[in-house]
Amino acid sequence: MLPQTEPQFSSSTPIAQSTIKIASFNLLNYLAPPDAYYDFENIYSLEQWQKKQRWILATLDAQQPDIIGFQEVFSIDNLKALLLEAGYPYFETIDTPIVEGDFIYRSPVVAIASKFPILEAAAVDAESEAAQLMGWNTFDFSRKPLRATIDIPHIGATDCYVTHLKSKRSLFDDPLPDTITPADTALSGFIRQRLGNWGSAMQRGSEAALLQLAMVKRREQTQYPMILFGDFNDTLSSSCLEQLVASSVFGMSDSEIERLIHFYCLYDGWELFTSINDDASQPRPATHYYNGKGSVLDYILLSQEFNAGYLGSLFEVSHYHTEDKHLVNSSFDIDGYSTDHAIPVVTLSLRQ
């Protein structure tokens, strides 16, 4: 056997970076003209589209994320070309939008871009048997989640999941059958909204649970670290999503949880940051505003390899930034065709 020696680095030998930045980016109707999103009137002019493109490039240049999960992508090739220009040679998506009448686009998709090699990309499928046990005869994600296995410096192959969960918008666009709703028109609208909102919540919660199941089974098989980011369309504390970051199991002892379950848990990037920094008292910035009220809908969740509270972790969350100038202090000339979501950015630093 050859004797072990310290590696010798020449001045040209690349040294892996010690910080990694990850962002979740809802692009809001990213569709190049002359195509339309949802309705034939929703078409960007060339000037509006160029302004949106410039804003995206400027945001990426300012934040410099290494890995980005995108939502609301219609024009896949345009985004891929834009990101290549911005310094992201690796790009993947696993689905295509629905196109009606050759130019009206519906059902945008998610995508991922990386400065590090993407080793594999695949759609996350809902396990049908589990869905049936939950009461669904058939089940499909409203938008297919994407898994990209990325070769991240120091830590190696890491499964990065991008999701865009079902919105709170009513599940029903059309009036319900007369046999269901009351005769009074106003009351009928009230019932349709209540049923439709609950239907959306059921879909969203089921998507989260089935995505988590797929992630756990993949983790069991590969042992790879996990990152989940995206537009969750709800708060993590909601009954729909709270299980994504739950770290306890009813009836299981603390020692069993510590030994097994924590390996499969996900941790909110913001919570990991505030737990080791003095910013814990600062309010969490909203990522979306509706009727003047802010809420956090966009998240970056990480497995224990990025949790400083775990002795074996390789990275810690050293900074958490919410890019929201375009929402709270916007300039129309710059931000007029940006997005209605803020952009969470997590900085991971190699632990010493």
Side-chain angles (χ1 to χ4, degrees):
M1 178 180 294
L2 294 174
Q4 297 297 310
T5 59
E6 292 294 323
Q8 301 296 312
F9 295 102
S10 69
S11 59
S12 61
T13 301
I15 300 175
Q17 63 193 73
S18 60
T19 60
I20 310 295
K21 295 181 77 172
I22 300 167
S24 181
F25 202 148
N26 185 315
L27 291 171
L28 181 62
N29 301 323
Y30 185 83
L31 180 60
D35 294 318
Y37 51 92
Y38 302 113
D39 187 270
F40 70 92
E41 294 181 344
N42 294 331
I43 302 174
Y44 294 116
S45 69
L46 182 59
E47 180 183 0
Q48 292 168 344
W49 175 248
Q50 290 174 341
K51 182 180 287 189
K52 188 176 185 74
Q53 294 277 76
R54 286 195 300 270
W55 180 85
I56 294 170
L57 285 176
T59 301
L60 295 178
D61 183 62
Q63 298 305 318
Q64 289 293 312
D66 297 293
I67 303 171
I68 318 161
F70 293 99
Q71 304 88 45
E72 295 209 28
V73 179
F74 286 116
S75 294
I76 295 170
D77 291 340
N78 294 78
L79 182 60
K80 182 177 181 179
L82 185 73
L83 291 167
L84 186 61
E85 177 185 344
Y88 296 87
Y90 305 100
F91 175 90
E92 293 289 345
T93 188
I94 41 79
D95 200 5
T96 54
I98 295 172
V99 186
E100 298 176 352
D102 294 331
F103 78 102
I104 299 177
Y105 281 63
R106 305 184 187 279
S107 301
V109 303
V110 301
I112 194 166
S114 174
K115 293 181 179 179
F116 312 126
I118 297 177
L119 306 176
E120 180 188 18
V124 178
D125 295 320
E127 187 169 293
S128 58
E129 185 177 358
Q132 289 171 7
L133 288 173
M134 294 165 61
W136 296 89
N137 291 328
T138 60
F139 185 88
D140 290 308
F141 288 103
S142 55
R143 288 164 283 244
K144 289 182 181 179
L146 177 156
R147 173 185 57 80
T149 303
I150 298 179
D151 187 8
I152 296 178
H154 302 288
I155 203 168
T158 300
D159 283 333
C160 299
Y161 296 83
V162 186
T163 189
H164 189 180
L165 299 179
K166 177 70 178 74
S167 72
K168 291 185 177 180
R169 184 172 177 266
S170 174
L171 198 63
F172 310 124
D173 291 326
D174 300 320
L176 298 177
D178 294 340
T179 53
I180 294 177
T181 57
D184 183 274
T185 303
L187 193 56
S188 174
F190 170 81
I191 292 298
R192 182 177 68 171
Q193 185 181 70
R194 290 295 183 267
L195 293 177
N197 288 351
W198 179 243
S200 292
M202 291 172 58
Q203 173 78 26
R204 185 167 57 257
S206 298
E207 288 179 352
L210 292 167
L211 173 57
Q212 186 176 42
L213 172 62
M215 293 176 68
V216 166
K217 295 181 74 170
R218 169 78 177 177
R219 173 90 150 158
E220 181 184 36
Q221 175 190 3
T222 66
Q223 313 290 295
Y224 291 163
M226 302 181 294
I227 301 173
L228 170 61
F229 41 3
D231 176 358
F232 289 12
N233 268 313
D234 211 337
T235 61
L236 272 180
S237 58
S238 70
S239 58
C240 293
L241 304 184
E242 60 183 356
Q243 294 302 316
L244 283 175
V245 290
S247 58
S248 62
V249 178
F250 181 75
M252 183 175 285
S253 68
D254 291 344
S255 61
E256 288 176 314
I257 291 173
E258 185 66 31
R259 179 181 63 85
L260 178 63
I261 301 303
H262 283 181
F263 181 71
Y264 297 96
C265 284
L266 291 170
Y267 303 87
D268 181 4
W270 170 264
E271 298 293 338
L272 293 180
F273 169 64
T274 56
S275 68
I276 59 172
N277 288 274
D278 296 332
D279 294 36
S281 61
Q282 298 296 315
R284 184 173 191 163
T287 68
H288 189 261
Y289 292 86
Y290 182 73
N291 286 338
K293 182 180 179 181
S295 57
V296 181
L297 304 182
D298 304 80
Y299 293 90
I300 299 174
L301 309 184
L302 306 126
S303 59
Q304 66 179 7
E305 289 85 354
F306 309 98
N307 179 2
Y310 168 59
L311 293 178
S313 64
L314 293 176
F315 285 88
E316 65 182 14
V317 179
S318 58
H319 191 64
Y320 192 106
H321 173 70
T322 302
E323 179 56 37
D324 59 2
K325 178 185 175 296
H326 58 288
L327 298 180
V328 301
N329 188 25
S330 64
S331 166
F332 182 78
D333 287 343
I334 299 173
D335 309 311
Y337 298 94
S338 54
T339 178
D340 58 347
H341 282 250
I343 304 154
V345 184
V346 160
T347 301
L348 305 171
S349 294
L350 193 67
R351 298 189 69 186
Q352 302 301 318

